[in-house]
Amino acid sequence: MAPASSILLLSTMIIAFLASGVLSDPDPLQDFCVADLTASPGVNGFPCRNASSVTVEDFIYREMVNPANITAMNRAGAVFGTVLRFPGINTLGLSMARLDLLPEGIIAPHTHPRATEMVYVEEGSVYAAIVTADNRLFAQVLSRGEVMVIPRGLIHWQMNVGRNNAKIIAALNSQLAGTQFVGRSMFGSSPQVPDEVLEKTFFIDNTTINQVRSVFA
Ligand SMILES: *[C@@H]1O[C@H](CO)[C@@H](O)[C@H](O)[C@H]1NC(C)=O
Ligand SMILES: *[C@@H]1O[C@H](CO)[C@@H](O)[C@H](O)[C@H]1NC(C)=O
Ligand SMILES: *[C@@H]1O[C@H](CO)[C@@H](O)[C@H](O)[C@H]1NC(C)=O
């Protein structure tokens, strides 16, 4: 092959590699790699447990059988099936969650920095929304059986607008998508975000700032 065309081929392969790498977790190089959670995480995920000690139980996750613990603050809760709780998904590039919402409950505005998400409404009636980077709100009330996709990294939420409990199953294309709540990040961080920053961001005084902070304390 002529040098020019091999350089072109190499650049194309590098571009394809980079493009695939930014869309979800990297592809595994083995059939499975059940995480050894006792090892400290490496640069990108956990090392594999010895394959001869792996059993069918490593491929099954049962924590989503029961409803999530509901927090009084949001009247909602989540069971996360990330690699930290379900080591069998290590290196496989996906995870799941179960969301339970009492009437008027909300999974408050948050982002997943490392994953695109799909939410499937299994029960109830849910006001589901996305705000894009250019501040467009895409929102809709979803009913049983309906699905919404939430592009990676965008702020989104789900709120129960029905009379009964709502239940949502979420799938994410990262084994550890990260969940960053907007309110808690700004008002519930430790150490605190300085008053001056919050005053200049939300145009509120320190009395209001302290009121909101106390909710997250
Ligand atoms: C994995 O476990 C098997 C059975 O106990 C053992 O024979 C083998 O040496 C182990 N492999 C490694 C890499 O530790
Ligand atoms: C719910 O709370 C109990 C008691 O604190 C805890 O043992 C359990 O792991 C929690 N469940 C989830 C899914 O977080
Ligand atoms: C709150 O803001 C007022 C007005 O800027 C200031 O005088 C006061 O010292 C601040 N209080 C605290 C606890 O930071």
Side-chain angles (χ1 to χ4, degrees), residues 99-117:
L99 312 174
D100 290 279
L101 300 89
L102 302 184
E104 297 175 23
I106 185 170
I107 304 292
H110 63 281
T111 77
H112 302 292
R114 291 181 292 279
T116 290
E117 177 177 13

Side-chain angles (χ1 to χ4, degrees), residues 195 199 205-207 210:
D195 284 14
E199 286 165 8
D205 63 16
N206 56 18
T207 310
N210 288 328

Side-chain angles (χ1 to χ4, degrees), residues 66-68 70 75-79 98-102 107 166-168:
N66 297 314
I70 300 294
R75 293 177 60 78
V79 182
R98 168 179 175 161
L99 312 174
D100 290 279
L101 300 89
L102 302 184
I107 304 292
K167 176 180 171 189
I168 296 170

Side-chain angles (χ1 to χ4, degrees), residues 53-167:
S53 74
V54 167
T55 72
V56 63
E57 287 301 312
D58 290 301
F59 297 96
I60 295 170
Y61 186 64
R62 295 199 167 84
E63 289 188 44
M64 286 170 49
V65 169
N66 297 314
N69 293 331
I70 300 294
T71 64
M73 182 178 167
N74 294 314
R75 293 177 60 78
V79 182
F80 291 106
T82 70
V83 68
L84 300 178
R85 286 176 168 271
F86 186 8
I89 64 173
N90 190 42
T91 77
L92 300 182
L94 82 179
S95 57
M96 290 188 86
R98 168 179 175 161
L99 312 174
D100 290 279
L101 300 89
L102 302 184
E104 297 175 23
I106 185 170
I107 304 292
H110 63 281
T111 77
H112 302 292
R114 291 181 292 279
T116 290
E117 177 177 13
M118 291 225 267
V119 291
Y120 168 82
V121 177
E122 192 170 310
E123 286 168 20
S125 186
V126 172
Y127 174 72
I130 303 166
V131 180
T132 63
D134 59 355
N135 302 314
R136 292 182 67 190
L137 170 68
F138 292 96
Q140 185 68 257
V141 175
L142 302 180
S143 306
R144 182 186 166 86
E146 295 183 325
V147 171
M148 181 184 243
V149 64
I150 298 141
R152 174 178 170 146
L154 300 184
I155 291 174
H156 61 282
W157 63 86
Q158 294 93 25
M159 184 169 68
N160 187 354
V161 291
R163 291 207 192 116
N164 303 314
N165 293 355
K167 176 180 171 189

Side-chain angles (χ1 to χ4, degrees), residues 3-44:
S5 62
S6 44
I7 288 169
L8 182 65
L9 178 64
L10 185 64
S11 336
T12 311
M13 284 168 65
I14 290 170
I15 290 165
F17 172 76
L18 292 174
S20 67
V22 297
L23 291 175
S24 63
D25 294 351
D27 282 340
L29 301 178
Q30 59 281 310
D31 281 355
F32 61 84
C33 172
V34 175
D36 178 358
L37 295 182
T38 63
S40 43
V43 173
N44 217 355

